[in-house]
Amino acid sequence: MDDAPRRLQIKFSVPSDPRYLGVIRGAIGPLAAVIGWDESECRAIVLAVDEALTNVIRHAYHNRTDCLIELECRESADGLEITLLDNGDAPDRSKLCARQIGCDQPGGLGTHIIKQVMDKVSYEQSPEGNRFVASKSLRRTS
């Protein structure tokens, strides 16, 4: 029998319909708490994941509600990794975080929030589609 510690891995396949975002938020918060983050950090992680999903819905799928988003949450030895996979339009890298913080226009700060909350963020194209990966390390105090 394998002595390696078992770690939580959750996979969701959700329609690109915003009404399902609450279900994902409801799962991510308790997951982050079980791993060890405090309530404030859990809320921040939930917000980052929500922003990433919203960006897929708005920008990759242009608000279509009949497309699919695959979400995978993996507990790692030092934290959490979130992967989103979609088959929509690829992100325009020149427009990622293009809006300045402090601008009076509403919206457009999702990628800033994601990068502020998560430790590592990457966007890549693969044969399976657009892949967004974000990870956050749990800083343990002795």
Side-chain angles (χ1 to χ4, degrees), residues 46-141:
V46 168
L47 177 60
V49 173
D50 190 64
E51 290 290 341
L53 287 164
T54 300
N55 284 345
V56 170
I57 292 169
R58 284 188 187 149
H59 303 294
Y61 289 137
H62 306 283
N63 295 314
R64 288 185 54 183
T65 59
D66 62 341
C67 301
L68 187 66
I69 303 170
E70 293 180 26
L71 171 98
E72 184 174 357
C73 308
R74 282 183 305 279
E75 179 184 9
S76 63
D78 67 340
L80 177 66
E81 182 178 274
I82 306 288
T83 302
L84 300 178
L85 184 65
D86 70 78
N87 290 300
D89 291 342
D92 181 346
R93 293 185 185 275
S94 69
K95 293 184 179 178
L96 293 175
C97 285
R99 188 160 150 300
Q100 296 296 318
I101 295 177
C103 179
D104 290 339
Q105 296 175 340
L109 294 175
T111 52
H112 290 292
I113 292 168
I114 295 164
K115 288 182 178 181
Q116 182 179 18
V117 170
M118 305 304 283
D119 295 326
K120 294 179 187 172
V121 177
S122 68
Y123 301 89
E124 56 191 58
Q125 290 177 280
S126 70
E128 296 91 22
N130 303 312
R131 184 180 307 275
F132 164 85
V133 180
S135 61
K136 185 162 182 73
S137 296
L138 181 63
R139 288 154 184 86
R140 302 185 196 279
T141 56

